[in-house]
Every structure is written in C-alpha cells, then in structure tokens.
C-alpha cells in the first residue's frame, strides 16, 4: 500500500466560541469560523483523517515527503518529520506532526477494521473524566466569581463528573492574575461539592516561585489532587524548587517543547510528581506512547493533556495511570454534549458514573459528516 495524495479541506461552521487577546477560549456571539480536514489517501482506496491541520505546512513539507510512502511506516515518517523540524520549526510545528501521525493511525485502523487503542495494545474501554473548565471570565452567570465556579462544579457533579479542574482568571482580564482570587475560587468549590469530589487547579502559567508556593500550600489545606503549570515550564529549576517544598503532586510539563526528551529531563530532575503530555503537545500518538513507556519505566504517573479521540485512544492503551480524561473545555453557557457539525456524534461520550467510553469504530472512531464538509468547503488543496 502506498500513499498517493495528501489533501486539506477548509470548511466553515457557526461557532459560539471566541478567543481573547491572550488566546483563551470563552463563550461569545455566534460567528463564522473555519475548520480543516486532513486526508491521507492510498492506492488501495483506504483513507485516514484528522481535523485541525494547517494546510500550508501539509502542502509544502508533508505532502512531498509522504507521497509514495507505505502508510504503515508511521515511525519512519514521524522520525523524518521530526528531523525536518530542525530548520523549519516555524512552519512544521508539533501540531502538524500530531495531525499527520493521527491520520496515519486512523488509516491503519480503518484498513485493519480495528479501533486504534487495540492496535496500540488495549488496556481498558473506559476512563474516568474530569470536568475541565474554560478560563475565568467577566460574564454574568459565567465563570466570573468564586461562587460561579462553585455553582458550575455543583452542576458538573450532578451530571456525573467525579472530578473537576479549575482554570482560573488570566490576562487580559485587568485584575488577573490574582493568587488570592484563585485560592478563593478553589475554596468556594471545595466547600460546595464536599470532600468526595476530586479537585485540581490549573491557574495562570507565569506566577513567581513565591506565588506558586503560596497557592500550592493553600491547595494542600483544601485537599486538592494536583497542581498544574503555575510557572513558566522552561524554568525547570523553579519546578524542582516548588516540588521539593509541596506535598501536593505537581503535574507537568504540558506545553514545554521537546517531546519525550523534555519529559525525561523533568523526571530525572524531580521537577514534577506526575508527568504530562497530549497528542497535540508532543507530535502525535507515536511520541505520546513513547512518553507513556518512559514514565512506566521510571515508576512515574502520567496524566494526558487535553481531550479528543487521539488522547482517549492512548489513555485506553496505557498500562499505568493515566487516571483521567480531560473533558472540555466546559462552560455554563455551552452544551458540550452537542457534536460539532462536522461529526455525527461526539468522540468522548460520558456515562452517568463519569466514565468516558472509547469508540469501537475502526481507526480513531470519528463519525465524520462528509456531506456537511462538502457543502461548506471554501478551499481544497
Ligand atoms: Mg493545563
């Protein structure tokens, strides 16, 4: 089997999510937005798909490299793309590698008529989810006060979530960040939901050492489960300093570049207690599984960053915890259970007990609405 074409199809949809000046998602007025579908096409008629790829690097770098390749040579393709990043990182990001790698895994699953998590080596069919909120806002009835977070945590508990993670207030909100407000929100949530709900915090990512230590000590008093990315992740020494002083597990790195190499250095330095990575952070399923095995070898837990089909399939192939699936981002104004118009169903359905179930469909399990995509396509290359 050979790859004969690689296309990206850009189409429009109506979105209710807007991005603030710092790039954080919030609910907003309906407006037209775009999405893209990456399609890897073979001479045997089998195709693999992934949403969210930037067409330019796909067409300029990826397509010439993939034409003629065996799509089952995922490791070889990933290694070649990784080497090409050295002089082309501005265009060939880890997100591009991730989209290509996930489309290749999807293709393999569709060809073999098996879900990806079984190709990886299945461990389970369902994973506990935590409700992962959007960042704080200034919307009345949204996530604008500590009480608003408590209200929303209570709603999530009633929906079946056993765990809840706050993303608190960040710039460009004029008064943010504010460590005391973060702690106030965490306290309001704990007091509302009681002791039996697992709680985590993912606050502003550029606090000082002292601010991070203050928040971490307050979280320990509130019985929080983990503390995530309170400082710039390039400062490994700062994380070593913080982790030495806190009992609450520090989770990271999440956004720091460097794939499995960075995770290895954090483990060796003792910069965090629980490692972290998601398909979009590290360049796909292929490298994320390397990180899973790295963590297993060191006896270190690893929590997967972000939702989506790729992360869910990896979670269902992890022999070590990997305890939670990050479901979101959630907000009181948005209905997460409603599929986006390019899918017939969401990829991460959750039962009343708070477990997300992996799809048994072949590949990544995306039930794609091709008619919608065709009808709304504005560019195809
Ligand atoms: Mg995070």
């Amino acid at each position: 089997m050979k790859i004969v074409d690689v296309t990206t199809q850009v189409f429009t949809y109506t979105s209710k999510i807007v991005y603030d000046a710092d790039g954080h998602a919030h609910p907003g007025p309906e407006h037209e937005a775009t999405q893209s579908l990456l399609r890897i096409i073979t001479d045997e008629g089998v195709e693999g798909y992934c949403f969210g790829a930037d067409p330019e690097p796909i067409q300029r770098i990826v397509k010439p490299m993939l034409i003629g390749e065996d799509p089952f040579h995922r490791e070889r393709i990933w290694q070649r793309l990784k080497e090409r990043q050295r002089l082309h990182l501005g265009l060939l990001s880890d997100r591009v590698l991730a989209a290509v790698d996930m489309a290749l895994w999807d293709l393999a699953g569709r060809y073999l008529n098996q879900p990806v998590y079984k190709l990886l080596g299945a461990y389970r069919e369902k994973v506990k989810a935590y409700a992962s909120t959007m960042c704080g806002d200034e919307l009345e009835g949204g996530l604008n006060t500590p009480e608003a977070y408590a209200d929303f945590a209570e709603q999530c508990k009633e929906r079946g979530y056993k765990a809840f993670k706050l993303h608190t207030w960040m710039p460009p909100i004029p008064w943010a960040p504010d460590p005391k407000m973060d702690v106030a929100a965490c306290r309001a949530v704990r007091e509302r939901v009681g002791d039996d709900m697992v709680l985590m915090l993912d606050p502003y990512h550029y606090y000082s050492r002292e601010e991070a230590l203050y928040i971490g000590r307050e979280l320990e008093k509130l019985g929080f489960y983990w503390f995530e990315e309170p400082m710039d992740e390039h400062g490994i020494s700062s994380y070593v300093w913080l982790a030495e002083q806190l009992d609450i597990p520090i989770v990271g790195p999440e956004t720091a570049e460097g794939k499995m190499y960075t995770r290895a250095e954090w483990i060796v330095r003792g910069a965090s207690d629980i490692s972290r990575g998601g398909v979009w952070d590290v360049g796909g399923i292929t490298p994320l599984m390397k990180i899973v095995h790295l963590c297993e070898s060191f006896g270190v837990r690893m929590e997967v960053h972000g939702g989506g089909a790729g992360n869910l399939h990896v979670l269902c192939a992890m022999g070590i915890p990997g305890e939670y699936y990050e479901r979101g981002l959630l907000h009181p104004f948005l209905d997460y259970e409603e599929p986006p118009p390019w899918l017939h169903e969401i990829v991460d359905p959750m039962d009343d007990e708070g477990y997300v179930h992996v799809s048994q469909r072949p590949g990544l399990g995306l039930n794609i609405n091709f008619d919608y995509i065709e009808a709304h396509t504005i560019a195809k290359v």
Side-chain angles (χ1 to χ4, degrees), residues 95-110:
R95 288 188 66 84
V96 178
L97 267 63
V100 173
D101 186 66
M102 282 193 276
L104 290 169
W105 276 104
D106 185 54
L107 191 156
R110 288 171 187 269

Side-chain angles (χ1 to χ4, degrees), residues 16-321:
K16 296 173 194 164
I17 294 174
V18 295
Y19 293 90
D20 66 30
D22 279 31
H24 305 115
H26 302 284
E30 283 193 0
H31 62 282
E32 188 176 271
T34 59
Q35 174 61 285
S36 70
L37 173 64
L38 167 65
R39 190 186 297 239
I40 297 179
I41 302 165
T42 67
D43 58 356
E44 296 193 24
V46 186
E47 300 185 355
Y49 307 99
C50 187
F51 290 94
D54 180 0
E56 191 186 351
I58 296 291
Q59 291 306 310
R60 279 179 52 185
I61 301 179
V62 174
K63 181 177 174 177
M65 199 183 274
L66 260 61
I67 299 287
E69 277 279 1
D70 180 339
F72 275 85
H73 284 192
R74 285 184 301 273
E75 180 70 22
R76 180 170 122 137
I77 291 169
W78 189 81
Q79 293 287 351
R80 287 182 66 204
L81 286 169
K82 179 174 79 80
E83 287 170 17
R84 187 68 75 86
Q85 282 186 301
R86 182 170 171 269
L87 296 175
H88 300 89
L89 196 54
L91 194 57
L92 194 58
S93 66
D94 283 345
R95 288 188 66 84
V96 178
L97 267 63
V100 173
D101 186 66
M102 282 193 276
L104 290 169
W105 276 104
D106 185 54
L107 191 156
R110 288 171 187 269
Y111 182 76
L112 298 168
N113 201 29
Q114 292 290 331
V116 165
Y117 81 104
K118 287 193 171 174
L119 300 185
L120 293 167
Y123 183 75
R124 53 186 163 182
E125 275 70 39
K126 62 178 185 177
V127 190
K128 279 185 288 185
Y130 61 86
S132 187
T133 75
M134 285 184 166
C135 296
D137 52 47
E138 295 185 294
L139 303 167
E140 197 61 42
L143 295 171
N144 58 334
T145 63
E147 284 306 306
Y149 276 94
D151 292 342
F152 192 44
E154 195 173 14
Q155 286 173 33
C156 290
K157 190 177 182 182
E158 284 164 11
R159 167 66 179 87
Y161 287 102
K162 299 287 189 275
F164 182 85
K165 188 175 91 180
L166 299 87
H167 290 100
T168 42
W169 297 277
M170 307 192 190
I173 291 176
W175 53 266
D178 183 337
K180 288 207 156 53
M181 281 295 285
D182 289 352
V183 170
C186 292
R187 186 177 296 120
V189 170
R190 174 55 82 205
E191 286 173 358
R192 183 73 63 85
V193 299
D195 289 336
D196 61 339
M197 195 173 198
V198 170
L199 300 177
M200 307 88 151
L201 174 66
D202 189 358
Y204 181 59
H205 310 298
Y206 303 98
Y207 278 129
S208 68
R209 289 185 181 193
E210 288 75 16
E211 289 167 327
L213 181 61
Y214 158 74
I215 295 169
R217 285 188 170 147
E218 295 300 314
L219 294 183
E220 288 174 349
K221 293 177 200 164
L222 295 169
F224 268 53
Y225 194 56
W226 80 51
F227 186 23
E228 185 177 319
E229 204 181 346
M231 302 179 292
D232 191 315
E233 291 186 335
H234 296 96
I236 296 183
S237 296
S238 293
Y239 275 90
V240 173
W241 180 90
L242 186 67
E244 276 176 355
Q245 297 183 75
L246 290 176
D247 292 326
I248 184 173
I250 307 291
V251 178
E254 175 173 299
T255 54
E257 313 88 323
K259 308 178 180 67
M260 58 275 186
Y261 307 106
T262 307
R263 275 74 193 170
E265 294 303 325
W266 274 57
I267 291 172
V268 169
R269 294 282 305 276
S272 63
D273 303 281
I274 302 173
S275 191
R276 187 139 175 96
V279 287
W280 294 105
D281 308 309
V282 303
I285 291 170
T286 297
L288 192 55
M289 288 306 293
K290 294 172 198 259
I291 292 166
V292 169
H293 299 147
L294 167 78
C295 292
E296 184 175 4
S297 305
F298 276 98
V300 169
R301 287 163 60 198
M302 190 249 171
E303 290 292 344
V304 171
H305 169 225
N311 284 323
L312 182 55
H313 281 267
V314 168
L315 269 164
C316 288
M318 283 175 75
I320 57 162

